[in-house]
Structures are given as structure tokens and as C-alpha cells.
Amino acid sequence: MTRVSIKNIAQAIGVSNATVSLVLNGKEKDGRVSKEMADRIRKAAKEMNYEPNNLARGLRIGRSQTIGLIVADISNLFFSNLAFHIQEYAEKFGYSVIITNTNESDLKMEKMTNVLKSRSVDGFIIVPTESGQPYIEDLIKRNIPVVLIDRSFPEIAVSSVMVDNYSASVKALKSMVNQGCRNIGLIIYKSELKHMDDRKQGYIDVLEEYGSYNPSLIKEINYLNITSDVEIAVESLLLKENNVDGIFFATNSLSMAGIKQLMRLNVDIPDKLKIVCFDKSDAFDFIQFPVTYVQQPIPEMGRTAVDLLISQIKQPLGVPKEVQRIELQTKLSNSF
Amino acid sequence: MTRVSIKNIAQAIGVSNATVSLVLNGKEKDGRVSKEMADRIRKAAKEMNYEPNNLARGLRIGRSQTIGLIVADISNLFFSNLAFHIQEYAEKFGYSVIITNTNESDLKMEKMTNVLKSRSVDGFIIVPTESGQPYIEDLIKRNIPVVLIDRSFPEIAVSSVMVDNYSASVKALKSMVNQGCRNIGLIIYKSELKHMDDRKQGYIDVLEEYGSYNPSLIKEINYLNITSDVEIAVESLLLKENNVDGIFFATNSLSMAGIKQLMRLNVDIPDKLKIVCFDKSDAFDFIQFPVTYVQQPIPEMGRTAVDLLISQIKQPLGVPKEVQRIELQTKLSNSF
DNA sequence: AATTTTTGCTAAAACGTTTAATTGTATATT
DNA sequence: AATATACAATTAAACGTTTTAGCAAAAATT
């Protein structure tokens, strides 16, 4: 009752392992197996319910047809969507995806890369944690294919798929300004990561252009205390002396926390205050005021990352891996 | 620059493969390797950055320490949470999890089981699709460990982790009755699956007990047209002649669609109509009226499934697998 | 001193593939 | 008729582990 192997098929037909293997891999032409024999083998394989053993195959050819995906927070809809599309698209090329989660913890980042390395994944797609740079560098040094997604480290030579965070932010802010906002607050994570900085810079540049930049309207949130930090930040932005007429939330978790607080405080949106968020949330459908948001091309991001990774994997050893930093454009929902 | 293997370590130290393998697997006692040698080997392994090749190991011992998880819809928060907890817990036992998605399609169900079988996963945790029974039966027949989760097929002997859907439904309905509802509508999927039927039966039994059961208040939704079907269902429930004062939504997607429609129709909740949903949603925090929901013990469900599966995997071949059908209890949020 | 037991290690096979090199025929070309 | 070419298959090694059986030397027991 054990699994049927190539050897079993070979014996059943009275032919060698090699012949069976060639046929089952569609290499009958270079191996020059006769049409009749190929058909017999295929028929037998089907009848005997043959399923290739990918462990053995991976061991032999040195590839496992598996991709390791490390995301920062799988319970966040943005990442679970991303994971979904990566999985779906990778499958088309015969790759399985092992999804793991770091919960934004650097420790887990290290653990996960080790676990996956020992499982011989052919490459990694990673949403790196704040201080995850060393682990990425380690992978690169070992010549393991890596593609970063959503976040990147500009100092190291590694391919990445990002959205153009700066432009996204600029678009968001310009739309607010066009709607008459003058004193716009920013709620953003306190982070060293480049994508956050780009979002902040976009905000700053637009407001400077309109002469209304005021650093005290930038509130940096510690992601370990989102709820309380955002509550405080929103409250302080709404102080009368600030005269704030718009808030830009730089991530979806910040939006969620912020909107909850705005609802609690009964703020009149959009008449007294306009808000723009980064990323869509299912909850927007249930909020009584319209929410404008920066729309990331999640399926395209996933597909691009997979394409990049596979092309790295296919790169013959020795050839240095070409570093590609892809920036995709975002759209503003409800844009005018 | 290739990966270091046991052989490399053995050569470096001038000892045999076997010795290194024994030490690295903590079997130095039965293999009787001297303390000094064991230490030398461990030190060298660390220095040389040894990482075991799990493909080779899996091939040799016939297990891959990998679990295949097949869910129906990873973009549904319930399932992505479940996946998260399964992954987290399985990791503690040294198992990796390959997560795949069927999108409720039987075709994909077949494909996914095949893909994972050929990857030699040690076992499956599956949220089966409507007509997925044959694929489960096939796995059982092949003696591959399987645990169903969230949904089950009572006719086949397979372990499962479910919530007590009948009681959950009874609790929900009783709470509505206790709040004064008399004419309660049910919005549920049209499905042959047992868990749906249990939810329906709980609804029927409670209402029959109170003498207010009216089959025409049950609306069965085709999950391919959730939005439009639910819109129509809600509208028809709200017809004056029905006098409906409560609606029970049997799944979270149905709740979401239903609440949207109720908001659109400006229904006065909870004064004119009370609603209870199955599963929590992030969106509930943003809805202006309170939403009561059936709370499933997601982390416990995940952990239980992993425990069940691992115990099956560990079962020596030949010993028939013990079938365990676990039913966990739900809680009602905001319950009185 | 002869024997058994324990200790510390090794040899080699096996897991299921893939693939380069080889062999033996049949057919085609001179 | 001799040789070259094409065809159809085989042999055997390799991938990196684990594990059983065995061996030699040292220690313990008689």
C-alpha cells in the first residue's frame, strides 16, 4: 500500500527506470523513446496512480520548486491578499509557496529564513521587518535568490517590488489640497524603512509647495501601541489651535485606528475634516462617510515579485544576479 | 560556494558521515560517540554554517515535516486567521505548512491535493469544498493523514475539528428571542454541507419551540451571487406582511452583504430589527449599531487540528487511524 | 590470562529521482 | 559488403541524509 515509484512502473512494464523517467518528464525526444513505449508508460503511470516524489526530484536536481514567502503580518488584509496572488501565480509555474509570518519581529525573521533555507526553498519573497537587513544580506551573500516586496533596503543590492510611495503620497496630498485642505496632519509609523520615509517626504514636499508645511502636524506612531498612540495623535491634531482640516493616514492599520477615534469624537467628515488612507479596507463599506484611499496594485505586485524571483532562480550559477527595483504606480480611489 | 553537507563536516574533522549524523541528531548516546568528539562535531557544524537538507532527510526517513493546508478562501478573515494559528502552532513541532487555496472550487480541490501529495506532505488539514468528499475519501484510502476543519463529511470516517454549529445557532436564536424577537429570518448558504445544515436546524428547533417557525423566512443564498442574492433576500424579509423583527446571518460573508443592504435601506437597528451574525469582522467596529456575533474559538480550532494531525502522523503504519470528531463550543459576543 | 562487555566509531545500503555515457540494433549510405 | 547514421533503450552514478550491522580496541570480569 506504499506509494508507487518510477521503479514500480519500470518493473511492471519491463523497462528501465531511465526510460520511464524520460517519458514522464516529456523528454522522450532527446532520450529517443519510441512512441508506442512512451504511450504504454504514460498509460501505466496513470493506471498505477503514479505521483512523482518531489523530495527525491529536488534532491537530485538541486531545486525544490518551492518559494518561501515571509510576510510581516498575515492577518493584515493587504498581506493576505498579496500572499494569495503570489501563491496563485507561482502555481502556474509549478512552484509551491510556503507562507510564514514574522509578526514584525526580527527574531522570527531570522528563524523563518533558517527554517526555509533548510527546506531548500529555491528563493524568497520577503516583506522585511524593520531591522531585518542583516538577514537579507546573509541570503544575498549565500547567493540565494531574494525579492523584497512592499519594503526595501536601498543600501543593499537586492531586487524589490514596491509601489511608488512618494508619488502615492503626493497624489493623496494634492487631492486633499485641491479639495481645500490647508492644514493637513500626517499619521505615520515611526520607522527607518524607506517606504515610510517616502510617504512622509511626499507629504512634506506637497505641503511645502503650498507653504503650509508644519512639522508639528506629523505624528509618528509606535506600531506596538497603535491604538493608544493613534488616539492621542488624532486628539492632539484636532486641537482648535491647529486648525486641521485634513488627515492623511500612511498605512491601513493606522487608518483603522484613526477612523475609530474620529467616529468616537464625532468629527464631521468630510465637511470639517477630510481624510485619505493608504490601502483599502473592507470596513470602508460600512463607514457612513466616504473614505478616499491609495489603491495599491496588489495582484500586479505579487505577480511581478514572482516573475522577478523565477528569473533569478533560472539564472545559471555564476552569472551575477541582476538587481531590479520595480516601482509600480498607485491610484487614488474616488479621485477627482 | 555550495551548501555544506554532513559529508563536508565529516571530512573536515576526519570522521565518518554516520558519526556526524548521529551527533547532529542528538543520538550520540545510542550511537555511543564520545563527549569530546560530539563537541568537536557540533562546533564544526556551527562554524561551517551547516544547515540540514530536509529534502534528503525527508527522502530517507519518508517524512517531510510538512503539512498541507487547504482552505476555501484565504482572503476571508476567518480562514486567514485559522491559517495563521495553524502555522504558528505547527512550527512549534517542527512542521512547516504549505497553505493553498481552493476558492471553493472542487476542481482546485483535486489539483491541490495532487500538488501536495507529490510534495510528500506528511498530512493534510482541509476545509473541504461542497463536493470535495471524493478527494477526501481518496486520501483516506491511501492512508494519508487528514483532518477536516470547519466543515466535515459525516458519512466518511475522518477526523475533524468543528464548532458545535447546532448549539451556536441555538444560542444565537435564543438570545434574539429573549430580546423579544418573534419573527426571525435566516440568511444562509444553499449547501449540502453538514455545518450549514446544523446552523439551519438550530434555527428551526428554537423557533419551533416558540411556535413561530415559518419556513418562508429562510433565505438560501447561492454563494456565487452573494451580493445580489442577499440584497433580494433582505428586501423580501423586510416586506411588511412578514413582520420580521430579527435576522440571523449564518456566515460572515452573508453578514457583510446583509448589513450593507440594511444600511442602504436605512433600517432602524436594533430598535426595529435585531441582527446576529456568525463570526466577527473588523468592520463591526465601524458600524453605528451594535452587532452581536457568534464567536468561534479560532486559535483553539487551529491547535486542535494540528494536534490531531500530528498524532495521526505519528501513528505507526498498520495501526488503523483513530477517528476523532471534535466539537468546540462557541460564545456569543455581547451576550446577556 | 582468557573471556566477555563496553565503548567509539565506520561501512554501506537505502530513499526515488535524473542524466551522462554507453550499448546494441536496424536502417541508410557509400 | 563495409561503414556510417539513426534509433531505442540501458547502466550506473549522484544528490544528502539516516540507520543497521559490524569491527577493533579498551575495560571489566572471571
Side-chain angles (χ1 to χ4, degrees), chain A residues 184-242:
Chain A
I184 302 176
L186 170 66
I187 297 197
I188 193 166
Y189 281 126
K190 178 162 196 55
S191 163
E192 301 293 317
L193 288 165
K194 170 131 193 320
H195 70 305
M196 278 300 142
D197 203 59
D198 286 350
R199 293 180 194 180
K200 181 155 86 177
Q201 202 55 51
Y203 163 91
I204 294 176
D205 287 1
V206 170
L207 292 192
E208 278 195 327
E209 185 185 337
Y210 289 91
S212 65
Y213 173 50
N214 173 359
S216 74
L217 298 188
I218 297 183
K219 303 295 179 187
E220 299 198 323
I221 306 299
N222 179 337
Y223 95 89
L224 293 173
N225 318 311
I226 298 183
T227 312
S228 60
D229 274 18
V230 169
E231 279 174 9
I232 296 167
V234 167
E235 220 157 345
S236 84
L237 281 177
L238 292 183
L239 291 175
K240 262 170 265 118
E241 69 249 37
N242 282 330

Side-chain angles (χ1 to χ4, degrees), chain B residues 27 29 54 135 158-159 168 184 209 211 241 274 282 306 323:
Chain B
K27 299 198 178 152
K29 287 301 164 222
N54 276 302
Y135 311 114
V158 55
S159 290
I184 303 176
E209 185 185 337
E241 67 248 39
K274 308 212 184 326
D282 278 352
V306 172
V323 172

Side-chain angles (χ1 to χ4, degrees), chain B residues 125-232:
Chain B
I125 296 178
I126 303 182
V127 179
T129 52
E130 177 92 20
S131 311
Q133 182 159 341
Y135 311 114
I136 308 297
E137 286 173 328
D138 181 64
L139 293 174
I140 302 283
K141 211 174 56 200
R142 288 168 193 257
N143 219 31
I144 299 175
V146 188
V147 172
L148 302 186
I149 190 165
D150 182 53
R151 311 170 181 178
S152 71
F153 297 114
E155 308 91 52
I156 53 180
V158 55
S159 290
S160 58
V161 178
M162 312 274 294
V163 293
D164 181 345
N165 284 288
Y166 179 81
S167 301
S169 202
V170 166
K171 268 184 238 173
L173 267 291
K174 286 207 166 157
S175 112
M176 296 177 87
V177 168
N178 287 340
Q179 287 176 77
C181 297
R182 282 300 164 263
N183 299 301
I184 303 176
L186 170 67
I187 296 195
I188 192 166
Y189 281 126
K190 179 163 198 53
S191 162
E192 301 292 316
L193 288 165
K194 171 132 194 319
H195 71 305
M196 277 301 143
D197 203 58
D198 287 350
R199 293 179 194 179
K200 180 154 87 177
Q201 201 55 52
Y203 164 91
I204 294 177
D205 287 0
V206 170
L207 292 191
E208 278 196 326
E209 185 185 337
Y210 289 91
S212 65
Y213 173 49
N214 173 358
S216 75
L217 297 187
I218 298 183
K219 302 296 180 187
E220 300 197 322
I221 306 299
N222 181 335
Y223 95 89
L224 294 171
N225 318 310
I226 299 183
T227 311
S228 61
D229 274 18
V230 170
E231 279 174 8
I232 295 168

Side-chain angles (χ1 to χ4, degrees), chain A residues 284-300:
Chain A
F284 291 170
D285 290 340
F286 299 92
I287 296 175
Q288 55 273 65
F289 44 81
V291 178
T292 304
Y293 57 90
V294 173
Q295 219 169 352
Q296 303 198 61
I298 300 184
E300 194 184 351

Side-chain angles (χ1 to χ4, degrees), chain A residues 2-50:
Chain A
T2 176
R3 265 172 68 174
V4 16
S5 70
I6 281 193
K7 200 191 292 181
N8 299 145
I9 301 181
Q11 281 167 347
I13 296 206
V15 84
S16 78
N17 286 1
T19 310
V20 177
S21 173
L22 288 171
V23 170
L24 263 25
N25 285 298
K27 297 196 179 154
E28 36 189 289
K29 288 301 166 221
D30 16 327
R32 290 164 310 188
V33 182
S34 69
K35 182 87 178 66
E36 302 81 50
M37 180 55 79
D39 286 343
R40 270 181 69 197
I41 289 176
R42 269 186 294 262
K43 184 152 164 279
K46 189 156 273 175
E47 276 171 1
M48 299 173 71
N49 258 312
Y50 171 71

Side-chain angles (χ1 to χ4, degrees), chain A residues 123-269:
Chain A
F124 286 86
I125 296 179
I126 302 182
V127 179
T129 52
E130 177 92 22
S131 311
Q133 183 159 339
Y135 311 113
I136 308 297
E137 285 173 330
D138 180 64
L139 293 174
I140 302 282
K141 211 173 58 201
R142 289 165 192 260
N143 218 30
I144 299 174
V146 189
V147 172
L148 302 186
I149 189 164
D150 183 53
R151 312 170 181 177
S152 71
F153 297 113
E155 307 92 51
I156 52 180
V158 54
S159 289
S160 58
V161 178
M162 312 273 294
V163 293
D164 182 345
N165 284 288
Y166 178 82
S167 301
S169 201
V170 166
K171 267 183 237 173
L173 268 290
K174 288 209 164 154
S175 113
M176 295 176 88
V177 168
N178 287 340
Q179 287 177 76
C181 297
R182 280 302 163 261
N183 299 300
I184 302 176
L186 170 66
I187 297 197
I188 193 166
Y189 281 126
K190 178 162 196 55
S191 163
E192 301 293 317
L193 288 165
K194 170 131 193 320
H195 70 305
M196 278 300 142
D197 203 59
D198 286 350
R199 293 180 194 180
K200 181 155 86 177
Q201 202 55 51
Y203 163 91
I204 294 176
D205 287 1
V206 170
L207 292 192
E208 278 195 327
E209 185 185 337
Y210 289 91
S212 65
Y213 173 50
N214 173 359
S216 74
L217 298 188
I218 297 183
K219 303 295 179 187
E220 299 198 323
I221 306 299
N222 179 337
Y223 95 89
L224 293 173
N225 318 311
I226 298 183
T227 312
S228 60
D229 274 18
V230 169
E231 279 174 9
I232 296 167
V234 167
E235 220 157 345
S236 84
L237 281 177
L238 292 183
L239 291 175
K240 262 170 265 118
E241 69 249 37
N242 282 330
N243 224 3
V244 161
D245 50 13
I247 301 182
F248 178 44
F249 294 99
T251 82
N252 52 359
S253 347
L254 295 174
S255 314
M256 294 298 95
I259 292 176
K260 273 181 214 171
Q261 175 70 333
L262 290 170
M263 286 173 68
R264 199 174 303 120
L265 299 176
N266 254 312
V267 179
D268 184 3
I269 300 174

Side-chain angles (χ1 to χ4, degrees), chain B residues 71-334:
Chain B
V71 297
D73 179 8
I74 192 72
S75 67
N76 179 319
L77 202 63
F78 171 70
F79 293 121
S80 65
N81 263 324
L82 204 51
F84 169 73
H85 289 286
I86 287 174
Q87 205 263 142
E88 196 86 345
Y89 188 65
E91 191 199 311
K92 291 201 207 307
F93 300 97
Y95 284 87
S96 290
V97 179
I98 300 189
I99 305 173
T100 60
N101 196 66
T102 57
N103 265 321
E104 303 281 7
S105 141
D106 296 317
L107 233 94
K108 277 210 110 192
M109 176 89 185
E110 178 172 22
K111 176 150 193 215
M112 291 297 95
T113 52
N114 284 334
V115 166
L116 293 175
K117 268 189 289 185
S118 75
R119 288 194 179 275
S120 311
V121 299
D122 295 341
F124 287 86
I125 296 178
I126 303 182
V127 179
T129 52
E130 177 92 20
S131 311
Q133 182 159 341
Y135 311 114
I136 308 297
E137 286 173 328
D138 181 64
L139 293 174
I140 302 283
K141 211 174 56 200
R142 288 168 193 257
N143 219 31
I144 299 175
V146 188
V147 172
L148 302 186
I149 190 165
D150 182 53
R151 311 170 181 178
S152 71
F153 297 114
E155 308 91 52
I156 53 180
V158 55
S159 290
S160 58
V161 178
M162 312 274 294
V163 293
D164 181 345
N165 284 288
Y166 179 81
S167 301
S169 202
V170 166
K171 268 184 238 173
L173 267 291
K174 286 207 166 157
S175 112
M176 296 177 87
V177 168
N178 287 340
Q179 287 176 77
C181 297
R182 282 300 164 263
N183 299 301
I184 303 176
L186 170 67
I187 296 195
I188 192 166
Y189 281 126
K190 179 163 198 53
S191 162
E192 301 292 316
L193 288 165
K194 171 132 194 319
H195 71 305
M196 277 301 143
D197 203 58
D198 287 350
R199 293 179 194 179
K200 180 154 87 177
Q201 201 55 52
Y203 164 91
I204 294 177
D205 287 0
V206 170
L207 292 191
E208 278 196 326
E209 185 185 337
Y210 289 91
S212 65
Y213 173 49
N214 173 358
S216 75
L217 297 187
I218 298 183
K219 302 296 180 187
E220 300 197 322
I221 306 299
N222 181 335
Y223 95 89
L224 294 171
N225 318 310
I226 299 183
T227 311
S228 61
D229 274 18
V230 170
E231 279 174 8
I232 295 168
V234 167
E235 219 156 345
S236 83
L237 281 177
L238 293 182
L239 291 176
K240 262 169 266 122
E241 67 248 39
N242 282 329
N243 224 3
V244 163
D245 49 14
I247 300 182
F248 178 44
F249 293 100
T251 81
N252 54 358
S253 348
L254 294 174
S255 315
M256 294 299 94
I259 292 176
K260 273 181 215 170
Q261 175 70 334
L262 290 170
M263 286 172 70
R264 200 172 304 121
L265 299 175
N266 254 312
V267 179
D268 184 3
I269 299 175
D271 289 350
K272 288 278 199 269
L273 183 82
K274 308 212 184 326
I275 61 173
V276 175
C277 304
F278 218 101
D279 286 331
K280 178 175 167 42
S281 158
D282 278 352
F284 291 169
D285 291 340
F286 299 93
I287 296 175
Q288 55 273 67
F289 43 82
V291 178
T292 304
Y293 56 91
V294 173
Q295 218 170 349
Q296 302 198 61
I298 301 184
E300 194 185 350
M301 291 174 75
R303 289 196 305 262
T304 310
V306 172
D307 283 337
L308 246 52
L309 187 66
I310 293 184
S311 85
Q312 267 189 52
I313 292 173
K314 293 252 169 86
Q315 201 73 211
L317 222 86
V319 181
K321 307 207 183 315
E322 184 191 1
V323 172
Q324 292 193 56
R325 304 184 199 260
I326 309 270
E327 282 212 331
L328 301 175
Q329 291 304 317
T330 58
K331 270 173 38 183
L332 210 55
S333 75
N334 316 330

